[in-house]
């Protein structure tokens, strides 16, 4: 009987440590969204165009895993439109771009001066406002 109590006492610190670790565990989620296949993305977009980023109302600092850092443009981002594939043909357009700061998908933004093929979608709150972001097919285009 004494042996059983000694074993219980020796295991108690390990059990308490395991409980503390389990209680302090927080769940983190990776950014998960799929831009969909190209035809579906094109059909659901309000506008699709190639444009060069001129500026944004929000500048977001980033550092990638390789240690490179820079500034991304987010907020209200202005583009010089080069080619329009869907939507009204404009020479310039401004879109809402969420920086996703503080989320598993962030930071997100576009590089000033770079060219992108942009898939823009109407917002639910105001269909006249167009947006693009991390979960769209918007991607950089080589010059």
């Amino acid at each position: 009987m004494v042996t059983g109590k000694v074993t219980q006492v020796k295991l108690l610190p390990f059990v308490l440590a395991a409980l503390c670790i389990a209680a302090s565990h927080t769940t983190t989620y990776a950014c998960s969204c799929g831009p969909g296949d190209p035809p579906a993305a094109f059909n659901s977009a309000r506008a699709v165009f190639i444009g060069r980023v001129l500026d944004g109302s929000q500048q977001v600092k980033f550092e990638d895993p390789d240690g490179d850092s820079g500034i991304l443009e987010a907020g209200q981002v202005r583009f010089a439109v080069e080619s329009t594939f869907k939507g009204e043909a404009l020479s310039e357009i401004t879109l809402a771009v969420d920086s996703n700061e503080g989320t598993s998908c962030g930071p997100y933004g576009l590089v000033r001066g770079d060219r992108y093929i942009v898939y823009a979608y109407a917002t639910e709150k105001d269909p006249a406002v167009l947006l693009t972001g991390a979960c769209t097919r918007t991607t950089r285009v080589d010059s």
Side-chain angles (χ1 to χ4, degrees):
M1 200 59 106
V2 174
T3 307
K5 286 185 181 183
V6 171
T7 305
Q8 289 176 355
V9 172
K10 287 183 179 179
L11 289 178
L12 184 61
F14 296 110
V15 171
L16 289 175
L19 288 173
C20 287
I21 291 170
S24 67
H25 175 72
T26 57
T27 303
T28 56
Y29 299 99
C31 181
S32 63
C33 56
D37 63 85
F42 184 88
N43 290 336
S44 63
R46 170 79 61 83
V48 179
F49 63 90
I50 292 178
R52 187 172 303 278
V53 175
L54 299 174
D55 56 32
S57 63
Q58 179 185 6
Q59 284 68 47
V60 180
K61 293 180 182 179
F62 78 92
E63 185 173 326
D64 67 20
D66 296 330
D68 294 329
S69 62
I71 301 291
L72 300 172
E73 303 292 330
Q76 296 298 310
V77 176
R78 204 165 49 103
F79 292 86
V81 178
E82 298 175 5
S83 299
T84 302
F85 304 107
K86 184 177 182 182
E88 188 176 350
L90 303 169
S91 61
E92 196 173 286
I93 190 169
T94 300
L95 305 177
V97 177
D98 189 350
S99 68
N100 294 326
E101 282 189 293
T103 71
S104 62
C105 294
Y108 178 81
L110 306 171
V111 177
R112 183 184 294 211
D114 282 2
R115 296 172 67 228
Y116 291 84
I117 182 160
V118 178
Y119 289 73
Y121 300 87
T123 64
E124 291 180 17
K125 291 181 183 177
D126 185 354
V129 175
L130 296 179
L131 63 86
T132 192
C135 292
T136 69
R137 292 197 70 82
T138 295
T139 190
R140 192 177 317 200
V141 175
D142 293 330
S143 296

